[in-house]
Amino acid sequence: MLEQPVLHPVRFAGDQPALRQRNLAALLDLLRRHTTLTRTELAQMTGLNRATITRLVRELIALGLVCEDGVLAAAAGRPAISLRLNGAAGMIIGAEIGFASVSAIVTDFTPTIVTRVERKLRPDEHRDAALDQAMNAFCAAYEAAIRWKRPVFGMGLGVPGLVDAATGTLLFAPNLGWSDVPLKQILEDRLRIPVLVDNVASVSALGESTFGAAQNHRVVLYLSTQGGLGGRIVVDGHILRGASGFAGEVGHMTVAESGRRCNCGRVGCWETRASQMALLQAVRERLAAGEPSTLRDAIGDPAQITVAMVAEAAEQGDNLARSALEKIGRWLGVGLANLINMLNPDLVVIGGALSAGHQVLLPAIEAVLATEALRWVREDCEITFAAHGADTCLFGSVAAVYREVLRQPQRWI
Ligand SMILES: [Zn+2]
């Protein structure tokens, strides 16, 4: 099943409500991408006639989503008025439950971050205590959003596990040890705003397609390296959901016959070889075995090591850090070679925690792809890292709400 995309304009739309809706969404999306545009430019870009554009823009201004920005000098004839999205139209909350923290951002409608909230989670924390911490952070974000005295459109939330996106229930999060948590219901009862809950890879892929590195790409493989390893396939801006909604769970692809047991219960999963968890585990084991490294001196407690610390040590010539990252990069390359051969994407976006190691990871990945991926598919595929870095999931959660507002502006105002 393909998810509804941010829609392209349709000519000859007449006044049919569904097509008018689609055209309103298209104008909003163009204004978001280009910051300011005139009515004439919107007509040229969409192919819609000037009268239709005038009518649609009038409606968007009345809804408060678009405002007139200023008068531009015209070469000839009437002066042109530039239009832009009205940042003050409303606020959106983007949230994430991670393995070690919960975080949320509040953005305006452009979307620019105005507030950030973060709370630490202890890995051994009981589910109810961790949920309390999460609620605490999300309520703080909501309080910050309502202080602007603008509508709060809703909250998006990315979580690391299998999610029934229709009901917003977290079905199973092996790395958190949570199952069957009706997050959407809990949050909507508490905050009284619409809440959209989805898997971290889904919202991140949506975010990169809407606001980030994957804009204007046709077939995108998004790889989420936050904790474990997940993925999503995006075709023409739509997430490929699969029959049950879980397409893209690439972390449990078998890449070896033996090795460490995965949290899913099997051995040989890609996630056990190429993930944030795999990197940190390998570094800690090598430090415990007595290998020399600047990491040992920099941090007393190996449990506190992060990917960013390993990446920095690698860049400064630390052998342990560099070789650990390179090994993760090679395993990323092995899995990606299979996926690229299968999907023939024009872009692979790697997001999440491992992004911090991109300077070492990318050459290692590309070295494997050079020999393991089919030349013809490899040549057309760019490998890049998420534009929003550590905020990829948070911006994706914002994108989930944002796209709904764009799709049916009247319903959300
Ligand atoms: Zn697994």
Side-chain angles (χ1 to χ4, degrees):
M1 187 181 89
L2 286 174
E3 185 182 275
Q4 282 270 92
V6 171
L7 297 162
H8 300 294
V10 180
R11 294 184 207 190
F12 317 118
D15 281 328
Q16 296 173 52
L19 294 177
R20 198 181 85 252
Q21 200 72 68
R22 196 173 156 127
N23 288 338
L24 288 172
L27 297 194
L28 286 171
D29 200 41
L30 280 170
L31 284 167
R32 182 186 62 76
R33 285 164 190 259
H34 296 269
T35 312
T36 62
L37 290 170
T38 64
R39 289 171 178 79
T40 308
E41 286 167 330
L42 284 171
Q44 283 161 356
M45 291 167 130
T46 58
L48 296 167
N49 68 44
R50 184 57 205 241
T52 305
I53 291 288
T54 301
R55 200 168 60 241
L56 293 170
V57 167
R58 192 183 305 135
E59 192 169 340
L60 290 173
I61 290 175
L63 285 167
L65 294 175
V66 167
C67 54
E68 292 186 332
D69 200 33
V71 179
L72 305 172
R78 287 184 301 179
I81 296 168
S82 68
L83 303 160
R84 64 176 169 80
L85 288 186
N86 178 16
M91 312 305 282
I92 298 175
I93 303 169
E96 175 180 14
I97 298 180
F99 299 105
S101 64
V102 289
S103 36
I105 54 173
V106 179
T107 73
D108 66 10
F109 191 59
T110 51
T112 302
I113 299 178
V114 296
T115 302
R116 186 184 283 276
V117 179
E118 187 157 348
R119 300 275 189 277
K120 293 270 173 248
L121 288 182
R122 287 199 319 275
D124 56 345
E125 204 151 29
H126 186 268
R127 193 196 77 169
D128 291 343
L131 262 176
D132 272 350
Q133 279 288 60
M135 285 302 149
N136 187 305
F138 302 155
C139 287
Y142 176 74
E143 295 293 329
I146 58 173
R147 275 201 291 273
W148 289 80
K149 303 198 185 315
R150 298 168 181 168
V152 180
F153 289 133
M155 177 174 137
L157 170 62
V159 288
L162 297 183
V163 175
D164 178 344
T167 62
T169 300
L170 173 62
L171 300 174
F172 180 49
N175 299 327
L176 282 173
W178 296 8
S179 57
D180 297 314
V181 187
L183 286 169
K184 177 184 168 74
Q185 194 193 323
I186 294 172
L187 284 163
E188 286 187 345
D189 286 351
R190 184 84 175 259
L191 303 177
R192 304 274 164 204
I193 53 172
V195 177
L196 303 173
V197 182
D198 210 336
N199 170 271
V200 55
S202 291
V203 296
S204 301
L206 208 61
E208 286 296 308
S209 299
T210 312
F211 306 132
Q215 291 186 67
N216 309 317
H217 282 269
R218 285 218 49 216
V219 181
V220 178
L221 171 65
Y222 179 83
L223 207 57
S224 172
T225 66
Q226 201 69 29
L229 189 64
R232 284 300 179 266
I233 300 144
V234 185
V235 182
D236 291 331
H238 322 211
I239 291 180
L240 183 73
R241 295 277 183 183
S244 318
F246 310 131
E249 286 299 330
V250 293
H252 303 288
M253 199 164 71
T254 306
V255 295
E257 284 183 337
S258 59
R260 197 187 301 276
R261 191 164 292 279
C262 179
N263 283 332
C264 76
R266 300 181 304 124
V267 293
C269 290
W270 192 22
E271 174 172 303
T272 62
R273 308 289 172 128
S275 63
Q276 177 190 15
M277 293 188 303
L279 172 72
L280 298 180
Q281 215 153 25
V283 168
R284 284 185 205 122
E285 282 172 6
R286 289 171 62 175
L287 285 173
E291 260 190 70
S293 168
T294 54
L295 283 167
R296 190 192 313 280
D297 313 324
I299 0 129
D301 179 8
Q304 301 301 320
I305 293 176
T306 64
V307 178
M309 290 174 190
V310 178
E312 198 187 322
E315 279 159 37
Q316 286 168 5
D318 185 76
N319 275 335
L320 188 158
R322 171 163 286 274
S323 68
L325 264 176
E326 280 172 347
K327 191 169 179 190
I328 297 291
R330 286 195 298 275
W331 276 111
L332 280 172
V334 169
L336 280 176
N338 288 323
L339 291 168
I340 287 173
N341 286 346
M342 183 174 79
L343 294 169
N344 188 195
D346 59 326
L347 180 73
V348 172
V349 182
I350 302 172
L354 284 182
S355 312
H358 66 98
Q359 287 193 352
V360 179
L361 291 173
L362 192 57
I365 292 168
E366 289 190 326
V368 175
L369 293 182
T371 57
E372 302 306 316
L374 291 169
R375 175 163 60 87
W376 303 274
V377 295
R378 174 68 191 97
E379 279 170 359
D380 289 331
C381 181
E382 185 190 337
I383 313 283
T384 190
F385 285 80
H388 289 108
D391 286 342
T392 305
C393 177
L394 291 172
F395 263 100
S397 299
V398 170
V401 175
Y402 195 88
R403 286 164 65 118
E404 288 302 317
V405 177
L406 254 60
R407 191 171 300 137
Q408 293 188 297
Q410 292 96 335
R411 249 191 75 188
W412 288 73
I413 301 294

